[in-house]
Amino acid sequence: MLAAEGINGSISGTREAVEIVMSAIQSDERLTNLLRTEAPAGVDDDKIHNGHSPKSPLGAGENSPARWDHVRVKLKKELVSMGVSGLDPADKAGEYVNPKDWNKLISDPDTVVVDVRNDYEYRVGRFKRALDPQLDSFRDFPAWVEKNLANGAQPYISRGPDRDENTRTRDEENALTSCEMLPNLESPRRIAMYCTGGIRCEKATSYLLNQGFDEVYQLEGGILKYLEEIPASESLWKGECFVFDKRVAVGHGLKQGSYRLCYSCKKPVNSVDMESPLWEEGVTCPYCYHHKSEADKSKARNRHQQFLHWGAIGGPDRGRKKHVVKNSHLRDEKYPERPYYFTLKSTQGR
């Protein structure tokens, strides 16, 4: 993703290939000194993440979380949308805190620790003492600050979703006590913020500084850098970290975690969630069951059956009408090298 405020993205490949791409990107002086996190993959991982389901070579299944066979570049007004104009994280943002110094900062009882990710990400994992703003969208963050941190407001303590205790998941139960030992400050002076890779914190800390907060810190490289560098024995991280690819979640050392994705609502679920009577693979989970109509559930069942049968939603042609070229066999006989020619020319053109 490219915006006036910077660049953010993920790539995968061999070490040599990745370094070639990174060198090309950083040859632009505006994109030098990029912060990187790495999740190494071995031969076994490559078999799992090769972009195709085991059943069909036609479509990517849930066992293809980390590999891409295409390049997608998006031009955006904001890398992450907050909807607040005038912010310039390059000019003003919270002070970076190295992962090795992070534990000391957030263990200080006078530090308010804020998780600026969405509510379902917090549910999967979080730092001890972290506040959960329960954001549905990053655009909700300014309103949460106004209500809970500004003008002497008391910090909001998450008490988990309002759901009957018999259907509440283990993650939700954990959330009930996840904000222990919070500081009792009328107006917090020192705020430490974190997010997945650091992008949202750049804007969130910039916003707080513009609102008049004095001491604002952010975890350099985000949770991913922390999990990459800090061993589990020294960690203050609880749970796993949700990531925006089909790995779903990672743990310490950035090893793939235990979560799967509900393909109906795209929310992470664990083994306990999948034991719930509200779980139906490919259809509903405890987090979306009550929000889906019977018609929605029926459509989801049909899609899931297509995936089970074909390995791709929509069948072998993914729901698209197959394009037939007239006299294609004559063309191929006359120009047998033509497909390779255009492939090479396309590559050279890039």
Side-chain angles (χ1 to χ4, degrees):
M1 296 185 292
L2 288 170
E5 58 194 14
I7 181 174
N8 183 35
S10 300
I11 60 175
S12 65
T14 64
R15 167 67 63 183
E16 180 182 7
V18 169
E19 293 302 334
I20 290 173
V21 175
M22 293 301 296
S23 296
I25 291 174
Q26 295 184 102
S27 64
D28 188 318
E29 62 181 11
R30 296 168 296 179
L31 303 176
T32 56
N33 300 319
L34 294 179
L35 185 63
R36 296 169 55 171
T37 58
E38 295 185 3
V43 175
D44 291 337
D45 297 308
D46 199 56
K47 291 179 181 177
I48 295 173
H49 303 159
N50 63 5
H52 302 289
S53 68
K55 190 170 183 179
S56 170
L58 300 171
E62 65 176 13
N63 292 329
S64 58
R67 300 291 183 271
W68 301 275
D69 58 0
H70 61 276
V71 176
R72 180 176 297 162
V73 179
K74 295 182 179 180
L75 301 180
K76 305 185 70 175
K77 293 181 179 180
E78 301 178 84
L79 289 180
V80 284
S81 298
M82 181 184 277
V84 177
S85 60
L87 294 180
D88 185 4
D91 179 59
K92 181 192 293 186
E95 183 177 338
Y96 292 120
V97 178
N98 190 281
K100 63 181 175 57
D101 299 322
W102 181 251
N103 287 357
K104 180 179 179 181
L105 174 65
I106 66 174
S107 296
D108 188 325
D110 290 333
T111 299
V112 173
V113 187
V114 181
D115 189 318
V116 297
R117 301 171 302 157
N118 294 333
D119 53 2
Y120 62 88
E121 299 173 77
Y122 179 93
R123 172 170 56 81
V124 173
R126 54 215 165 272
F127 282 106
K128 292 181 179 180
R129 302 182 60 251
L131 290 171
D132 175 20
Q134 292 194 331
L135 304 177
D136 290 327
S137 164
F138 191 51
R139 286 178 174 270
D140 299 334
F141 180 72
W144 181 84
V145 171
E146 179 66 25
K147 180 179 179 181
N148 297 282
L149 294 182
N151 302 321
Q154 287 291 331
Y156 171 75
I157 301 177
S158 169
R159 290 303 178 192
D162 296 327
R163 188 181 298 159
D164 184 85
E165 63 180 9
N166 294 323
T167 60
R168 189 181 292 140
T169 67
R170 180 178 296 176
D171 285 335
E172 293 169 347
E173 290 290 347
N174 290 339
L176 300 183
T177 57
S178 63
C179 298
E180 69 273 20
M181 299 172 60
L182 289 172
N184 184 20
L185 301 175
E186 291 187 357
S187 183
R189 294 182 179 179
R190 183 187 305 127
I191 301 176
M193 314 186 80
Y194 68 89
C195 57
T196 306
I199 297 296
R200 277 175 280 191
C201 283
E202 292 283 351
K203 302 198 72 168
T205 58
S206 179
Y207 176 77
L208 287 186
L209 290 171
N210 282 350
Q211 294 299 306
F213 292 89
D214 296 324
E215 284 191 73
V216 183
Y217 301 89
Q218 59 176 312
L219 175 58
E220 186 175 13
I223 303 163
L224 294 180
K225 200 66 177 176
Y226 182 92
L227 294 178
E228 181 184 3
E229 295 185 357
I230 305 300
S233 59
E234 302 174 12
S235 176
L236 295 182
W237 178 258
K238 300 169 63 176
E240 299 174 8
C241 178
F242 180 83
V243 290
F244 294 92
D245 56 52
K246 290 186 181 179
R247 289 176 297 175
V248 183
V250 296
H252 285 89
L254 300 183
K255 296 179 180 179
Q256 185 161 342
S258 60
Y259 280 78
R260 293 175 57 186
L261 210 61
C262 169
Y263 283 94
S264 182
C265 67
K266 304 298 187 291
K267 298 293 175 62
V269 292
N270 60 18
S271 58
V272 177
D273 297 327
M274 290 184 283
E275 293 174 1
S276 166
L278 306 182
W279 165 260
E280 183 178 351
E281 186 171 4
V283 182
T284 59
C285 73
Y287 306 102
C288 67
Y289 180 89
H290 297 291
H291 304 291
K292 299 288 183 180
S293 67
E294 289 305 315
D296 291 335
K297 295 173 186 175
S298 179
K299 291 178 182 179
R301 288 189 188 98
N302 289 335
R303 288 195 301 268
H304 188 59
Q305 288 301 315
Q306 291 173 3
F307 174 78
L308 292 177
H309 183 74
W310 294 103
I313 294 174
D317 299 309
R318 300 188 184 184
R320 297 186 291 267
K321 184 177 179 180
K322 190 172 182 179
H323 180 65
V324 179
V325 179
K326 293 183 179 180
N327 300 322
S328 61
H329 64 288
L330 298 177
R331 181 199 65 188
D332 294 339
E333 290 175 4
K334 188 174 182 180
Y335 304 106
E337 77 287 354
R338 190 172 184 177
Y340 303 98
Y341 171 78
F342 279 103
T343 299
L344 291 172
K345 186 172 184 179
S346 176
T347 303
Q348 291 170 348
R350 292 176 187 169

